[in-house]
Amino acid sequence: MGGKNTEFLFNSIAPIYGLFYERQKKRFFEVIEGVNKELDLQEYKTVLDVGCGTGALCSVLNEKGLKVTGIDPAEKMMKIAREKPENKEISFIRANVLEQLPFEDKFFDVAIASYVAHGMNKEDRKQMYAEMGRVAKSKVIIYDYNEKRSLLTTIIEWLERGDYFNFIGNAESEMKNCVFELRECFSEVKVINVDVRAAWYICIPNK
């Protein structure tokens, strides 16, 4: 997510992402099964995947019985997602969460963003949290890194010059204290570590 440069980058690397589609699906399935006792997504009907990329998470959520919408600003990413036979029931829409999304307030039960937040600056993250909270009725899930990063990740993120290090050091408090346009984003934030180096930050949108 971000501006034209980010969109160009992700359109450029879409074929590479496509190579990891099946591996990503397997990992997403394992994570969703792993958190099932604490958060059973099959209790919900509709879900928005923000920054859906090539659609691996969308595909797993669809197989779990949810009605899925995926958004991404990179059209070439979504082209790969749409071409997968198992994704024919999923709605893929070109949209950027940093702009007002084309959905009414509380349109979805759940909104989820996988490995999107850490690549944004702090102000953009606040805008993303607020917009996801606007369109989600019950839960906003930020699936991203926790503080236990690997050396390789540290090197890659340092080279990318993003806001990764600020994010992972303050993710939970950032979400708990998020205020956008004079309104608190969430009423509650719970963290579940889903991997050694990753967490689900489960946020309750303000009404």
Side-chain angles (χ1 to χ4, degrees):
M1 295 293 168
K4 291 293 183 183
N5 289 339
T6 303
E7 183 182 326
F8 175 80
L9 171 64
F10 282 99
N11 274 318
S12 299
I13 63 176
I16 298 172
Y17 265 70
L19 297 175
F20 297 96
Y21 176 84
E22 292 298 337
R23 183 183 297 180
Q24 287 179 321
K25 276 194 66 173
K26 180 180 178 183
R27 185 58 193 143
F28 283 135
F29 180 84
E30 292 171 348
V31 167
I32 289 170
E33 288 293 299
V35 302
N36 189 60
K37 289 183 179 179
E38 297 188 71
L39 177 59
D40 184 0
L41 289 178
Q42 290 178 285
E43 293 180 356
Y44 303 98
K45 294 180 179 179
T46 58
V47 60
L48 174 69
D49 182 4
V50 173
C52 65
T54 57
L57 177 56
C58 288
S59 184
V60 174
L61 293 168
N62 180 62
E63 289 172 7
K64 290 287 184 181
L66 286 88
K67 183 178 180 181
V68 184
T69 300
I71 63 163
D72 202 289
E75 181 60 38
K76 290 185 179 179
M77 285 280 195
M78 289 190 297
K79 183 175 184 294
I80 293 172
R82 293 187 187 106
E83 289 174 349
K84 301 292 182 181
E86 67 267 32
N87 292 343
K88 62 184 180 180
E89 296 178 353
I90 300 170
S91 176
F92 291 103
I93 299 171
R94 185 174 181 271
N96 192 329
V97 74
L98 299 183
E99 302 165 4
Q100 185 166 359
L101 296 175
F103 309 112
E104 297 176 1
D105 293 358
K106 311 305 176 188
F107 189 79
F108 300 95
D109 293 325
V110 177
I112 184 168
S114 173
Y115 290 99
V116 175
H118 77 273
M120 295 178 163
N121 63 49
K122 186 175 181 179
E123 289 305 308
D124 283 351
R125 287 197 297 271
K126 284 168 61 175
Q127 188 170 347
M128 181 181 79
Y129 301 152
E131 186 63 3
M132 290 177 71
R134 181 185 72 80
V135 300
K137 189 186 307 178
S138 297
K139 298 283 191 303
V140 168
I141 302 169
I142 307 298
Y143 177 13
D144 219 302
Y145 294 112
N146 59 24
E147 292 182 301
K148 297 178 181 178
R149 63 185 182 270
S150 67
L151 177 60
L152 178 60
T153 300
T154 298
I155 293 169
I156 291 171
E157 295 298 336
W158 181 81
L159 290 171
E160 288 185 358
R161 305 293 187 187
D163 202 43
Y164 165 81
F165 299 103
N166 288 328
F167 171 76
I168 62 168
N170 303 284
E172 183 178 1
S173 62
E174 179 179 284
M175 294 173 207
K176 284 182 175 178
N177 299 311
C178 174
V179 176
F180 186 76
E181 295 183 348
L182 304 179
R183 188 170 184 271
E184 291 185 349
C185 301
F186 307 121
S187 60
E188 182 183 336
V189 178
K190 179 180 180 181
V191 182
I192 300 175
N193 285 313
V194 297
D195 200 343
V196 175
R197 300 184 179 93
W200 274 19
Y201 303 88
I202 303 172
C203 311
I204 307 300
N206 269 320
K207 303 300 182 184

